[in-house]
Amino acid sequence: MKKEGILNSELAKIADDLGHTDQVCIGDLGLPVPAGTPKIDLTLTRGKPSFQEVLDIYLENILVEKVYLAEEIKENNPEQLAILLTKLSADVEIVFVSHETLKLMNHEVKAVVRTGENTPYSNIILQSGVTL
């Protein structure tokens, strides 16, 4: 469920419409977006906005109960994984799946948000929680 405001109108619309267990993917430039899946392309120039900047804004504004990450991030981008683990609250469930599975999951997300980043496995699916 949405907590506060997001300025980007497309991202704000997706955030407003999220219900419990709905999912959004935040990805880098290289992440393929399945046909029919809404795409919000935030890329301004290479690296802008960064994956982390977009994720930080999302985490400030949306209650997240579960995240899905590619298993491959552990070996191929441990720095990004370490940052992600510090940003997520302790009650967020973290599920590692293969990168291929993560891409297949994008058929069911509400939207894929593309950042300007182009680093290995800078992709995450966030599942919306619910306020109690």
Side-chain angles (χ1 to χ4, degrees):
M1 298 293 179
K2 191 170 178 205
K3 291 197 288 191
E4 292 182 20
I6 296 175
L7 291 179
N8 179 285
S9 62
E10 290 176 283
L11 194 55
K13 173 74 171 117
I14 295 295
D16 284 341
D17 291 343
L18 287 178
H20 186 221
T21 74
D22 285 340
Q23 298 173 341
V24 173
C25 178
I26 299 175
D28 70 356
L29 284 172
L31 183 67
V33 179
T37 299
K39 176 177 67 172
I40 301 169
D41 196 340
L42 301 178
T43 305
L44 300 172
T45 62
R46 189 166 299 281
K48 302 275 184 195
S50 73
F51 171 81
Q52 197 59 57
E53 288 172 318
V54 175
L55 181 61
D56 287 348
I57 293 297
Y58 194 93
L59 291 175
E60 287 175 14
N61 289 281
I62 305 297
L63 183 63
V64 175
E65 69 177 12
K66 185 187 291 187
V67 299
Y68 295 87
L69 294 165
E71 184 74 35
E72 293 88 341
I73 195 173
K74 294 175 183 176
E75 186 175 321
N76 296 297
N77 199 344
E79 300 84 12
Q80 183 74 275
L81 177 58
I83 293 168
L84 288 172
L85 294 177
T86 65
K87 299 286 183 169
L88 298 171
S89 65
D91 59 339
V92 172
E93 180 182 355
I94 301 170
V95 179
F96 291 95
V97 298
S98 73
H99 187 56
E100 290 306 312
T101 298
L102 192 82
K103 291 191 291 186
L104 289 172
M105 290 174 71
N106 280 334
H107 288 275
E108 303 301 321
V109 299
K110 291 286 185 181
V112 172
V113 180
R114 254 208 217 146
T115 68
E117 189 126 354
N118 192 19
T119 56
Y121 305 100
S122 287
N123 308 299
I124 188 170
I125 293 177
L126 303 123
Q127 182 170 303
S128 177
V130 64
T131 56
L132 299 175

